[in-house]
Every structure is written in structure tokens, then in C-alpha cells.
């Protein structure tokens, strides 16, 4: 049965352009501080712990509050929450730009993280409200996904260009005019939508979700950076315990932050799992790509960021082709194909050596990104279509939280494999003329080996650096092969689990939430039994 949903017009597409503004800036803000940090450190003189908090507090609070903010938008109105978040993001950006102490900058970065958590789920949930036709909604989600990725890529470029001409605060002031524009035109172009019958936010659930996500991501990131230690393991255990209590509490609430019944719909739960695994690949690829260009090929950060942009046209072509195929090919097969495309990218990256041409890593990273974006565009559409309209905010927030977790796991798992191989190769090598204490540091990371080689005279320094680069690419080879194995298994599982999900245009009539969930049930023999067919709760929209 073909879709008869009303098609979006010019206003909705212009509104989508407006929604991309906060999305770009939130993802750009994650990388812009990397360029500004040396200038900030020189002026504000933070301690080592303060410097770490400057870097991490934004991402930690953003990830930890996504679920709460997604549910809050469903209750008070998604446009209202988006505009409140935009105003807070703009104010926090000004405070960050003119911070005169490390404490002040940390506080402003924390506020930026809180504000960012309101923006991301609101934008995707509003796409659900603005685009009722399945084909148009899939296109809009593809644009949304591409903008999120482009922001992460453009962040270092924008930061580098600004800092070449202005002081470090300019990197934060970039946010202000964009947020002002959103505040001015948003009320006219974006629809409001909220769940009229929703209850109040359960503060205990909000605290438990924040504790669970913060503790788990903190523990994973620190283990990846510092190695396994009791404190980090305890943090993960406490996070998992908080997550368990959160899930138990959701089962007892009349109006939970997350509707756990949605996880019984295979299209929804499998899509969340695909997002986690896809982000493992994406972050692992980005980590190796950046380090290879800067530490093996010796590029400056801005140069490496600019070279990374060269793969974007190919990614756009892949997304366009995927969008055309999605009109006739079931999403499960396209998702599996996208993940296998990323497998090919990892296979190409595994061939990189210190003397390989740059195109090897660029092509490999481009294939990984293209495959991941094909898969996550389709999973985002299935997640939004599976959830009732009044739950779109919390559903998108759950998806984005899974992506944040996957990103942390990607760095931890693939990074740990590469580090283990690097350390083994360095310990097996012999270095004459290198002090023992300096060699100990060089055995940990390529960055440390590069810094050590700069202070070792003669051929000993060159030998140390050459060996370290060989060890790094050897570790990257093992890690990318491991990533390819993970993605291959994920592709097979996704194709099998989602094989029954039909092409949206052939299955959905109208755009009501019950119809969308009904399609998911019909395509899913697991979800089709024992689930309530109650009508969705009333919603209000204008």
C-alpha cells in the first residue's frame, strides 16, 4: 500500500535548513577546542586537571542529558526547548569567549553541554513532525545526518582558520550570530509539537540516566587513554548499576522517560544497536585517520583537517545513491550493504604504511564514513517511524545516546588493539643512543615518540621515529582488521534482523503513530505478539 501522507512544501524545507544551524554548531563545538587549547593554556594557565575538564565537560554533559532533554521536549514542546537551548548556547558561547579564568571557562563549557543536549534531540524530533511523507522524511534525515558529520569535520577547519587571524575566543563567538538567526526565524518556520497528556519529568529517572551515561562513558574514555585502573572499572560498574536502576524505575512509571516497550519492536531495537556499532567504526576510523596524517605524514592540524574534506563529495554521492535505492530496496539490505562498504574502507586503511600515498587513508576513511552514514540515515528513519509521534523526542535522544556510547567504545576497543601492537613492537626493537626514561615514554604512544625523537640527536632520533611510525601503522592494521570483523558480523545480523521491514512507501498509509508502529509489528514476528495496540496518547501541534 503506498503512502498518502501530505508532502512537505517550501516552508518545511526552509525550516529544515534552519534546524541544521544548531546541529552544525553543536557538532563543530566538539572539535573547535582542540585548536584553541594551546592559546587558552598560555593565557589562562590551567592546571592539568582543569585542562582535562575543559576538554571533557562539554561532551560528558551533552551525552548524559540527551535522554532527559528528549523527554522534556516531548512534554513542554520541541520548538520551545530548541529555542531555549539556542538562547542558552549563545549566552554560554559569549561567556566562554570572554572567560578570564580556567574555572569560568569550565563552567561555560558545562553550560554549552547542557544547551547542546537540548538541541540535538529537538532537531531530529521536529523532522518527524515536519515531514510526513516517508520518502521526504528519509531525505530530510539524510541531510540531518550529513550535517552532523560535516559539523564534526568542519569544526577543526573553522577553529584553525579563526585562530590564524583572531584570538581564541573567536572560536566560541562563531556560535552567536547563528543562534540569534535561529531565535529570530525559528518561531515562524518551525512547528510546535508536544504531548498534551504527558506527566512531569521524573527527576529520579533523570538523575539515574545522567549518572549511568556519565559514569560508563567516563570509565571507557579513561581506560582508553590511561589503561585499565580500579577507579575507571568502578566507574563503569557504578554506571551499569545506575542504568539497571533506571530501567527498573521506567517499568513502574505511568509516563517514563523512555518507553521500554519500543525495544520490543525489532526495527527500533536493532536500529539502536546498529547505531552503536556504526559509531564504533566511525570514531575508530577518525582517530586513526587524524593520527596518521599528523604524526606519520607530519601534517599540521589545519592541513590534515582540510585534506579530510576532500572525501565529502564522494560521501554525498553514496548517500544520494542510497536514497534512490531506498525507494525500492528494503532498508535491512541497504543497512547491511552500507556496513559492508565500511568493511571495505577498513580493508583499505589496513594497507596503509608510513610511505603509502595519502590517498590510501583518505579513500579508506571515506568508505568507512559513507557506509556508516548510509546505515545510520536509514536507522534514524526507522527509529522515528517506529516510535509514536509523541515519543519522537525521547526516541531520537535514545538513539543519539547510543551513538555517544558507540563513539567512546570505538576509541577504547580499536584504540586499545592498536596500542597493544604498538607497545609490543616498540619493546621488541632496540635503540642505541636513546635515554632509558625517554624510551619509556616513546613506547607508550607515537606522539610521545615523535616528541622524544626531536630531542635525540643524530641517526638515533630518526631511527626511533621511523620505528615508531612502523609500529603505529602495524597497530592500525590490526585494529582496522578487527573493526572490519565487527562490522561484517553487524552487517550480517542487521540484514537478518531487519529483513522483514518493508520499504516505507509500500507499507505506510498516513502518518499517525499507530500506523508506523503497526508496520514495525507486522514486519517483526517477535514484536508482533503480546504488545498493546492501544491508540497513541493525544498530542497537540500547530
Amino acid at each position: 500500500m503506498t503512502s498518502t501522507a501530505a508532502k512537505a512544501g517550501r516552508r518545511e524545507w526552509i525550516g529544515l535548513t534552519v534546524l541544521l544551524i544548531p546541529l552544525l554548531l553543536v557538532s563543530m563545538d566538539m572539535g573547535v577546542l582542540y585548536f584553541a587549547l594551546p592559546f587558552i593554556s598560555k593565557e589562562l594557565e590551567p592546571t592539568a586537571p582543569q585542562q582535562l575538564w575543559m576538554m571533557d565537560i562539554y561532551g560528558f554533559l551533552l551525552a548524559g542529558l540527551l535522554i532527559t532533554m528528549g523527554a522534556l521536549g516531548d512534554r513542554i514542546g520541541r520548538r520551545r526547548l530548541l529555542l531555549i537551548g539556542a538562547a542558552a548556547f549563545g549566552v554560554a558561547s559569549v561567556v566562554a569567549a570572554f572567560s578570564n579564568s580556567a574555572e569560568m571557562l569550565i563552567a561555560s563549557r558545562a553550560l554549552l553541554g547542557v544547551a547542546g543536549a537540548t538541541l540535538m534531540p529537538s532537531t531530529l524530533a521536529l523532522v518527524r513532525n515536519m515531514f510526513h511523507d516517508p520518502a521526504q522524511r528519509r531525505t530530510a534525515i539524510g541531510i540531518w545526518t550529513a550535517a552532523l558529520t560535516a559539523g564534526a569535520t568542519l569544526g577543526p577547519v573553522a577553529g584553525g582558520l579563526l585562530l590564524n587571524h583572531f584570538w581564541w575566543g573567536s572560536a566560541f563567538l562563531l556560535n552567536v550570530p547563528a543562534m540569534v538567526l535561529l531565535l529570530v526565524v525559528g518561531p515562524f518556520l518551525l512547528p510546535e509539537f508536544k504531548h498534551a497528556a504527558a506527566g512531569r519529568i521524573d527527576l529520579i529517572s533523570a538523575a539515574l540516566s545522567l549518572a549511568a551515561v556519565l559514569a560508563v562513558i567516563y570509565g571507557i574514555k579513561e581506560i582508553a587513554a590511561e589503561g585499565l585502573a580500579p577507579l575507571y572499572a568502578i566507574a563503569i560498574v557504578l554506571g551499569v548499576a545506575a542504568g539497571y536502576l533506571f530501567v527498573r524505575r521506567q517499568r513502574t512509571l505511568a509516563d517514563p522517560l523512555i518507553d521500554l516497550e519500543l525495544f520490543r519492536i525489532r526495527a527500533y531495537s536493532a536500529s539502536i544497536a546498529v547505531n552503536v556499532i556504526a559509531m564504533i567504526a566511525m570514531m575508530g576510523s577518525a582517530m586513526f585517520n587524524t593520527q596518521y596524517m599528523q604524526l606519520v605524514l607530519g601534517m599540521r592540524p589545519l592541513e590534515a583537517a582540510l585534506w579530510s574534506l576532500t572525501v565529502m563529495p564522494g560521501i554525498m554521492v553514496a548517500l544520494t545513491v542510497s536514497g534512490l535505492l531506498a525507494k525500492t530496496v528494503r532498508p535491512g539490505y541497504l543497512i547491511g550493504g552500507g556496513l559492508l562498504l565500511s568493511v571495505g574502507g577498513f580493508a583499505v586503511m589496513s594497507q596503509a604504511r608510513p610511505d603509502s600515498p595519502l590517498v590510501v587513508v583518505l579513500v579508506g576513511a571515506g568508505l568507512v564514513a559513507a557506509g556508516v552514514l548510509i546505515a545510520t540515515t536509514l536507522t534514524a528513519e526507522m527509529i522515528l517511524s517506529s516510535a509514536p509521534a509523541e515519543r519522537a523526542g525521547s526516541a531520537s535522544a535514545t538513539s543519539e545516546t547510543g551513538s555517544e556510547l558507540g563513539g567512546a567504545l570505538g576509541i577504547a576497543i580499536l584504540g586499545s588493539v592498536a596500542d597493544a601492537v604498538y607497545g609490543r613492537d616498540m619493546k621488541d626493537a632496540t635503540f642505541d643512543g636513546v635515554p632509558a626514561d625517554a624510551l619509556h615514554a616513546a613506547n607508550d604512544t607515537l606522539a610521545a615518540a615523535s616528541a622524544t625523537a626531536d630531542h635525540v640527536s643524530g641517526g638515533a632520533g630518526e631511527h626511533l621515529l621511523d620505528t615508531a611510525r612502523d609500529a603505529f601503522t602495524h597497530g592500525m592494521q590490526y585494529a582496522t582488521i578487527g573493526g572490519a570483523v565487527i562490522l561484517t558480523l553487524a552487517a550480517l545480523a542487521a540484514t537478518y534482523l531487519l529483513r522483514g521491514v518493508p520499504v516505507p512507501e509500500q507499507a505506510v498509509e498516513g502518518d499517525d503513530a499507530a500506523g508506523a508502529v503497526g508496520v514495525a509489528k507486522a514486519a517483526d514476528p517477535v514484536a508482533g505478539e503480546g504488545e498493546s495496540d492501544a491508540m497513541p496518547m493525544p498530542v497537540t501541534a500547530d
Side-chain angles (χ1 to χ4, degrees):
M1 186 179 298
T2 58
S3 172
T4 59
K7 289 186 177 292
R10 180 181 299 178
R11 178 182 175 182
E12 286 77 15
W13 289 108
I14 297 175
L16 176 63
T17 304
V18 173
L19 286 178
L20 298 183
I21 295 173
L23 188 66
L24 277 167
L25 292 175
V26 168
S27 55
M28 284 174 63
D29 214 65
M30 296 179 183
V32 73
L33 194 64
Y34 288 104
F35 276 91
L37 191 61
F39 302 93
I40 293 172
S41 298
K42 183 177 180 180
E43 181 172 331
L44 301 184
E45 298 180 349
T47 63
Q50 286 176 332
Q51 185 168 300
L52 289 175
W53 278 112
M54 286 179 189
M55 298 291 295
D56 293 337
I57 191 67
Y58 175 82
F60 283 160
L61 288 178
L62 176 69
L65 290 171
L66 281 171
I67 291 175
T68 298
M69 294 304 180
L72 181 62
D74 290 340
R75 287 161 171 78
I76 71 171
R78 292 160 191 166
R79 184 180 68 188
R80 178 184 297 177
L81 183 65
L82 177 69
L83 297 179
I84 291 172
F89 204 88
V91 171
S93 296
V94 173
V95 175
F98 294 100
S99 294
N100 54 21
S101 68
E103 293 83 1
M104 186 175 179
L105 182 57
I106 292 170
S108 62
R109 289 278 293 171
L111 181 56
L112 281 168
V114 174
T118 71
L119 298 174
M120 292 183 68
S122 297
T123 57
L124 187 55
L126 282 170
V127 169
R128 171 73 166 84
N129 305 137
M130 294 163 62
F131 297 91
H132 304 280
D133 178 75
Q136 288 188 324
R137 183 166 60 228
R138 187 171 53 248
T139 300
I141 291 173
I143 295 171
W144 185 94
T145 305
L148 186 65
T149 303
T153 305
L154 290 172
V157 176
L161 292 174
L162 284 171
L163 292 168
N164 279 346
H165 299 90
F166 306 101
W167 102 111
W168 61 265
S170 63
F172 295 105
L173 291 181
L174 177 67
N175 301 327
V176 177
M179 291 303 171
V180 171
L181 177 62
L182 175 60
L183 291 170
V184 171
V185 303
F188 301 100
L189 292 173
L190 303 176
E192 183 58 286
F193 191 100
K194 63 181 177 181
H195 186 185
R200 292 186 176 183
I201 285 283
D202 180 58
L203 296 180
I204 295 177
S205 294
L208 286 172
S209 69
L210 177 63
V213 176
L214 281 182
V216 170
I217 291 183
Y218 167 79
I220 292 172
K221 284 190 172 183
E222 291 304 312
I223 288 174
E226 304 292 339
L228 184 63
L231 175 62
Y232 309 144
I234 290 172
I236 294 176
V237 171
L238 292 177
V240 171
Y244 172 75
L245 294 175
F246 172 80
V247 170
R248 287 198 60 180
R249 186 168 181 83
Q250 301 317 290
R251 296 184 185 279
T252 65
L253 296 175
D255 191 19
L257 261 63
I258 294 178
D259 185 359
L260 297 180
E261 290 299 308
L262 289 175
F263 286 92
R264 299 180 63 188
I265 301 172
R266 185 176 292 179
Y268 182 88
S269 55
S271 294
I272 297 287
V274 167
N275 281 1
V276 173
I277 295 172
M279 289 309 299
I280 289 176
M282 191 74 161
M283 291 304 296
S285 169
M287 174 180 64
F288 293 130
N289 183 42
T290 300
Q291 292 187 28
Y292 182 87
M293 287 195 290
Q294 293 185 27
L295 298 176
V296 176
L297 301 183
M299 292 184 180
R300 295 181 62 83
L302 179 58
E303 181 186 5
L306 289 170
W307 273 109
S308 296
L309 294 178
T310 60
V311 302
M312 293 303 294
I315 293 173
M316 293 300 103
V317 170
L319 287 174
T320 301
V321 172
S322 171
L324 294 173
L325 291 174
K327 296 178 180 180
T328 56
V329 180
R330 291 195 174 198
Y333 298 117
L334 285 178
I335 290 170
L339 295 177
L340 289 177
L341 183 63
S342 295
V343 170
F346 272 139
V348 174
M349 291 183 69
S350 70
Q351 302 305 305
R353 301 294 183 267
D355 57 352
S356 297
L358 175 60
V359 68
V360 174
V361 169
L362 289 178
V363 169
L367 289 173
V368 172
V372 165
L373 291 176
I374 289 171
T376 54
T377 297
L378 293 165
T379 56
E381 201 279 332
M382 283 196 292
I383 288 167
L384 288 182
S385 297
S386 298
E390 67 272 13
R391 291 286 186 181
S394 59
S396 61
T398 304
S399 170
E400 289 155 12
T401 302
S403 297
E404 294 290 334
L405 177 61
L409 285 171
I411 294 174
I413 296 173
L414 301 184
S416 296
V417 172
D419 287 346
V421 176
Y422 174 87
R424 184 198 65 190
D425 286 2
M426 291 294 288
K427 289 175 182 176
D428 289 344
T430 57
F431 302 97
D432 296 326
V434 181
D437 55 344
L439 186 58
H440 178 74
N443 286 342
D444 290 335
T445 65
L446 176 56
S450 180
T452 300
D454 290 339
H455 296 87
V456 177
S457 60
E462 294 180 7
H463 174 61
L464 172 63
L465 185 57
D466 289 342
T467 304
R469 286 172 171 169
D470 284 332
F472 173 82
T473 54
H474 193 201
M476 188 172 79
Q477 178 183 11
Y478 274 81
T480 50
I481 290 173
V485 171
I486 292 172
L487 285 179
T488 300
L489 296 175
L492 295 174
T495 302
Y496 175 77
L497 293 173
L498 299 173
R499 69 193 185 284
V501 178
V503 177
E505 288 88 336
Q506 299 173 358
V508 179
E509 181 166 359
D511 189 57
D512 61 277
V517 176
V519 169
K521 291 179 183 178
D524 184 355
V526 175
E529 299 178 2
E531 291 193 43
S532 172
D533 285 315
M535 293 296 292
M537 298 296 290
V539 296
T540 61
D542 60 41

